[in-house]
Each structure stands twice: as structure tokens, then as C-alpha cells.
Amino acid sequence: FLIQDPKYSFLKELGLQDKNVGVFNGKWEASGPVIQSFSPANGKVIAEVQTASVGDYEKSVAAAQEAWHLWGEMPAPARGEVVRQIGDALREKLQPLGQLVSLEMGKILPEAIGEVVEYIHVCDLALGLSRTLPGTIFPSERPGHVLIEKWNPLGLIGIITAFNFPVAVFGWNSAIAMVCGDVSVWKPSDTTPLVAVAVTKIVESVLQKNNIPGAIASLCVGGKDIGETLVKDDRMKLVSFTGSTAVGQQVGVEVQRRFGRHLLELGGNNAIVVNADANLDLLLNAALFACAGTAGQRCTTTRRLLIHKKVYSEVVSRLKKAFAGVVSKIGDPLLAETLIGPLHTPAAVEAYKKTVAEIVKQGGTIEFGGKVIEREGYFVEPTIVTGLPHDSPLVKTECFAPIVYCIEIPDLDTGIKYNNEVEQGLSSSVFTENLGDVFKWIGPHGSDCGIVNVNIPTNGAEVGGAFGGEKATGGGRECGSDSWKNYMRRSTVTINYSGTIKLAQNIKFGD
Ligand code: NAD
């Protein structure tokens, strides 16, 4: 196991061992199958994790429900104080947790640390929210009456997360849900189980210090079976699901079947529209990170460049040069000189190979890359494709790898049309210096995505805004703005202090 190698001593700093328990419900106890966690950089086993059986899941739900009685009644500012301490505990473990994310997920260390920082930022945001959670009073049309909007916690929620943001996505949900008064059961991706155990240990340490039952932040590492059980469980008032569109669609239907609430954060097929007047230095700088960064494994990775015909050749040739400049910097994501790490699994490499073969078969040109890199681990070349039609099924499909399609456009209107013609609606960006075009882009006939940027890449969101996308991206919004509403139920309360009964709309009934 890599955990025995002194090079990875940060694993022990996080309380991880050769064999870890993947279920926490106040106690660490698991009885499901044992799985291995691999480093995508070399294919070696880091350590083992015992996963949740359905029985373990049941115990965790029961413990979380029990713990909710205490947590749901605590004043929100007191819950905020606990979340503040979680932020501080994460600050203390920033380096080792970032290193673990890099080792187990495969993204480069600065991005892995950035992901932990994102969780810390959400804790800060949630702390403020805990003292400002709104409740409105509306004027009543009836004398001696008052209309109040009262928000209460949902209770128990399920959080299912994807492999590519194994810390941040849990943090976005958990920190906000905690101040809202909810308790959660987290089912992380079964290919990043060590990150989930390490994060839960950090949260546990804070809960313990504050004498709060650990079950308010329960963990059930497991695969599809645990995910499906959670989704069908009508004790889960909300299922927050982050993952692929295909799985998210099933999740949405299942949760709807039982009239539960869902928050879906699904796949993207994000475009940058390059206007004729774009600042190309800015664009190239942004596009390199957006297309090739994280080895194409962000939901917000740029997969399509919609480039004005006047600058098309220049953009493609400069992008090829930029890609060539980073090829020597593909490697071990934990090393300081690395800019691009591996794909996460051998299956992802297969999907990349299959897509590249299909591109060639359909007459596309591989302008750059297109090959698997011959070395240990799951490395591929960042890839630039030209020559495919804008509406080719390949271009319209999210392949979770660093492949970008360059497509020529005659004008901004066509760029907007192509941007919007895919089924997904997560992120988008335009590069332009023209103010009128900016407003067209962000207006009613502009980009139909949840994230609509100008002169920045499609990826790299901040926590203050609501994060999520439209259409097949699922429609959910997480993190900032009013996303907290997802985690609470609203009651409209009318209180009569007039001493007489008056009906609304002045309806007379009887005398
Ligand atoms: P995935 O859909 O394969 O898995 C996501 C999670 O769902 C995992 O925990 C998995 O174990 C679980 N799961 C699998 N089958 C299930 C089922 N039938 N019922 C319930 N749970 C089930 O996705 P992935 O490969 O881990 O992640 C990559 C995908 O996630 C990409 O499509 C990416 O765009 C998307 N993503 C979206 C966002 C966003 O915010 N929109 C963020 C990150 C990733």
C-alpha cells in the first residue's frame, strides 16, 4: 500500500490507515465489501476501505434522524459557530487534505488545495448566513392579521457526490445544510473513499469537541447499491446529487416518484464564444486552463470553442502552441512542476480512446494530442479537434477528458445558437470587448446556461454565486445566493390577533 511509503506521510496526518472504515454514524463501523483506493498517477493501491452494507446505511439513517432532534432545535447562530470551527479545522489540515485529493483524485496540488479552500469559503459564507437566515413579514389585507414566511429545516438529507470534486461538492452542501438545521448522510464516489473518510474525520473532531452527535454528518461509502437505496428512501427529504446526466436523470425520476425534493448538478458541455474583437492573449490564457486543466475533468471544462471566422486560424494555431507548451508538464499531480495530472480511472482512458477513434472515423482532424501517454498511471494528451460539424453527436456529448472541439462561426448570434443547441446548460463564456455584445450574451436571447461568463474561462466558480446549470445539467443551484432555500421548507403563516374571523378577499360566508 502507498500509505506505507514515507513519501505519503500526509495520509497518516489525516488519521488514515492501511484498512479504513467507510461508515460513520457517530461510531465508525462497517460491514460491507472492502474496496481499494488507487492512485491514478501510478495505478497503485493507496489503502483499503470497508464500505457500507444496506444494514449499515439503515443504522446511519436511524442515528442521523435521532440526532436531528437536537441539531434542528439549536439556534442557527450556534450551528454557524460549529461550521466556523469546521472551517478552522480544515484550515489546519489544508495541506495534507489537499495532498490526499491530489493523490486519490489525480488533480494537481494547487487545484486540490483550492478545492479545500472552497469548502473553507463555504463555511465562512454559511457562518454569515447562520445570523441572517431570512423570514419575511408581509402586509395582510385583513385588519389585525399578520402574514409571516417561516423557514424550517428539512431534517434528513442525502448527499451523493462525484469523484472529480471529492471535497468541495460535499462542503457546498454540508456547510449550508448544517446552518439550515439539517442532518445528512453522505454517499461519496467509491473511487475517492479516502478523501471522504478524511473529511468526515475532520468534521467529527469538531462535533466531538462541541458534544454534538457525530451522526448529524453521517458517511456511507458505497457504490450504486447504497446510492439507489438512499435515492428511494422517503426519509431523505432532499437528495442532492452531483454526477453524470445519465445517472442524475434516474435519480430525479426516482425522487420525484416519492415526491421528495432533489437538487441535481449534472454534466456540462461548456463553450467559449470567441468574438471577432476578442482579446486573444486573454482568451488563450483562459482557454488553456479551461480546456486542458484538471485533465478535462471539471463539469465546467471548456469542451467547445466557437470561434469567429476572422480569428479562427490564429486561435487554433496559438492554442496548439499553448498545448505543446504544457505537454512536458503532464505528470505526477503532487509535483510542483506539474500542470496536468492523469485521468481518474482506466475506464476514463478507454472512453478517451474510443472518442478519439470515433472523431477520426467521422472525419474530424486531430490538430493536437489524441494519444494515451505510455507511462504508468492513466495519462492522456490534451487534444484539439477541428473539422467536425457543430451539431455532430460527438460534439454534443460530454466526454470527461481533455478534448476540445474548435468550430468556426460567422457572428455572435450563431455562436449563441451553437452554445445553446446542446442538451446540457452548465457553463459558458464569451470573449469580447464590445459592451453591446456582452449584454446580448447575458440577455434573454443570450446564453441559456446557469453560468454565463465574460472574458474569463468557463471553469473556476466562486462560492458567493449560485452554482449549477439548466436543461440536462439538472436545474439545481448550490452554494451561494439563495441556494440555502433548497435545504429548508417554507411555511406561510397567517396569525390573527384581531379577535374576529375575517375571510380573505372579504368573502362573506353566512352572517
Ligand atoms: P457518476 O454519475 O458516475 O457518479 C456520481 C455518483 O453517483 C457517485 O457517487 C456514484 O457512486 C453514484 N451513483 C452511481 N449510480 C447511481 C445510482 N443508480 N443511484 C444513485 N447513485 C448512483 O459521475 P462521476 O463519474 O463520479 O462524475 C462525473 C460527472 O459528474 C460528469 O458528468 C460531471 O460533469 C458531473 N459533475 C457535475 C457537477 C455539477 O456541479 N454540475 C460537478 C461535478 C461533476
Side-chain angles (χ1 to χ4, degrees):
F1 292 161
L2 293 181
I3 192 166
Q4 284 154 0
D5 184 337
K7 205 164 107 187
Y8 304 114
S9 60
F10 55 83
L11 294 168
K12 303 229 162 114
E13 271 180 66
L14 294 164
L16 297 171
Q17 297 155 1
D18 291 12
K19 293 175 196 308
N20 301 277
V21 179
V23 180
F24 177 68
N25 50 38
K27 289 187 227 136
W28 289 92
E29 48 182 12
S31 60
V34 172
I35 57 170
Q36 296 186 316
S37 164
F38 297 89
S39 159
N42 54 29
K44 293 185 180 138
V45 178
I46 306 168
E48 287 182 341
V49 178
Q50 185 160 21
T51 61
S53 63
V54 172
D56 296 329
Y57 167 80
E58 281 297 326
K59 267 195 199 169
S60 300
V61 169
Q65 276 194 313
E66 178 59 32
W68 182 65
H69 295 297
L70 178 131
W71 186 251
E73 289 295 336
M74 254 170 90
R79 295 192 296 250
E81 167 56 18
V82 174
V83 173
R84 184 193 68 75
Q85 291 177 34
I86 292 173
D88 280 353
L90 288 164
R91 283 179 176 91
E92 272 171 35
K93 300 279 188 208
L94 180 61
Q95 200 63 28
L97 188 55
Q99 286 169 303
L100 168 61
V101 170
S102 188
L103 179 68
E104 191 179 49
M105 183 274 155
K107 63 179 70 176
I108 59 170
L109 189 55
E111 290 188 65
I113 287 181
E115 189 180 335
V116 184
V117 168
E118 220 172 313
Y119 188 176
I120 294 168
H121 285 171
V122 186
C123 290
D124 292 348
L125 183 127
L127 172 64
L129 181 65
S130 74
R131 289 194 176 266
T132 54
L133 273 172
T136 313
I137 300 185
F138 300 107
S140 169
E141 67 189 37
R142 289 169 276 187
H145 287 60
V146 64
L147 264 176
I148 296 176
E149 192 164 84
K150 172 81 172 76
W151 293 87
N152 283 306
L154 289 176
L156 179 61
I157 69 162
I159 303 172
I160 301 179
T161 55
F163 78 84
N164 65 329
F165 275 89
V167 172
V169 172
F170 170 70
W172 296 347
N173 282 283
S174 169
I176 304 289
M178 278 178 89
V179 298
C180 290
D182 296 329
V183 298
S184 60
V185 174
W186 177 21
K187 198 221 76 72
S189 166
D190 52 0
T191 56
T192 51
L194 294 173
V195 170
V197 170
V199 167
T200 302
K201 280 183 186 290
I202 291 169
V203 174
E204 178 198 13
S205 70
V206 173
L207 297 179
Q208 228 170 36
K209 226 177 353 183
N210 289 274
N211 285 321
I212 289 163
I216 70 154
S218 290
L219 170 71
C220 284
V221 172
K224 194 175 152 186
D225 56 330
I226 297 296
E228 281 175 345
T229 309
L230 186 156
V231 166
K232 289 191 177 132
D233 187 344
D234 61 11
R235 292 167 296 181
M236 291 292 168
K237 302 298 175 209
L238 165 75
V239 176
S240 173
F241 175 87
T242 302
S244 58
T245 293
V247 178
Q249 188 168 42
Q250 295 166 29
V251 168
V253 170
E254 275 307 325
V255 176
Q256 179 60 34
R257 208 187 293 282
R258 60 177 176 82
F259 291 110
R261 215 190 264 191
H262 54 64
L263 197 172
L264 301 175
E265 295 283 357
L266 314 179
N269 189 348
N270 319 292
I272 293 180
V273 178
V274 185
N275 235 12
D277 67 344
N279 176 334
L280 294 189
D281 292 338
L282 213 65
L283 166 79
L284 267 300
N285 188 328
L288 181 62
F289 176 59
C291 304
T294 335
Q297 298 167 108
R298 284 187 185 232
C299 50
T300 51
T301 292
T302 299
R303 310 209 178 272
R304 297 174 295 146
L305 284 174
L306 309 174
I307 311 164
H308 194 279
K309 60 183 183 213
K310 275 199 191 140
V311 291
Y312 181 83
S313 306
E314 183 180 352
V315 169
V316 174
S317 97
R318 285 179 66 180
L319 193 68
K320 280 160 73 171
K321 277 199 197 108
F323 271 44
V326 294
V327 163
S328 62
K329 292 174 180 159
I330 298 175
D332 183 344
L334 278 161
L335 298 180
E337 62 270 23
T338 303
L339 285 184
I340 299 173
L343 289 181
H344 185 56
T345 57
V349 176
E350 282 313 307
Y352 168 86
K353 273 167 55 180
K354 205 172 141 206
T355 302
V356 170
E358 196 57 33
I359 288 166
V360 174
K361 205 167 133 197
Q362 300 210 2
T365 305
I366 306 292
E367 298 279 352
F368 189 90
K371 289 190 287 301
V372 174
I373 299 173
E374 292 304 327
R375 55 172 286 170
E376 65 172 9
Y378 317 136
F379 293 88
V380 301
E381 291 175 346
T383 301
I384 302 171
V385 178
T386 58
L388 284 182
H390 62 91
D391 56 354
S392 137
L394 278 168
V395 175
K396 291 173 97 173
T397 305
E398 179 195 49
C399 173
F400 221 54
I403 300 174
V404 62
Y405 299 99
C406 296
I407 288 152
E408 197 175 296
I409 52 166
D411 49 38
L412 176 63
D413 286 342
T414 310
I416 293 173
K417 185 170 156 237
Y418 292 178
N419 176 71
N420 294 354
E421 76 183 352
V422 295
E423 65 163 359
Q424 307 88 342
L426 181 53
S427 187
S428 57
S429 187
V430 71
F431 276 72
T432 183
E433 301 292 303
N434 181 313
L435 195 58
D437 285 347
V438 168
F439 280 92
K440 183 184 259 188
W441 173 245
I442 67 173
H445 294 101
S447 166
D448 64 0
C449 293
I451 298 169
V452 184
N453 292 335
V454 178
N455 293 337
I456 66 158
T458 50
N459 54 359
E462 301 176 22
V463 302
F467 183 91
E470 302 295 334
K471 304 190 292 185
T473 302
R477 292 295 188 280
E478 274 174 0
C479 226
S481 183
D482 65 351
S483 306
W484 60 269
K485 288 180 177 169
N486 289 306
Y487 306 90
M488 302 195 88
R489 63 180 175 81
R490 173 191 344 226
S491 356
T492 302
V493 182
T494 309
I495 300 174
N496 172 12
Y497 59 92
S498 71
T500 57
I501 292 294
K502 280 242 176 228
L503 300 181
Q505 294 85 45
N506 210 16
I507 291 172
K508 302 281 180 245
F509 190 77
D511 295 335

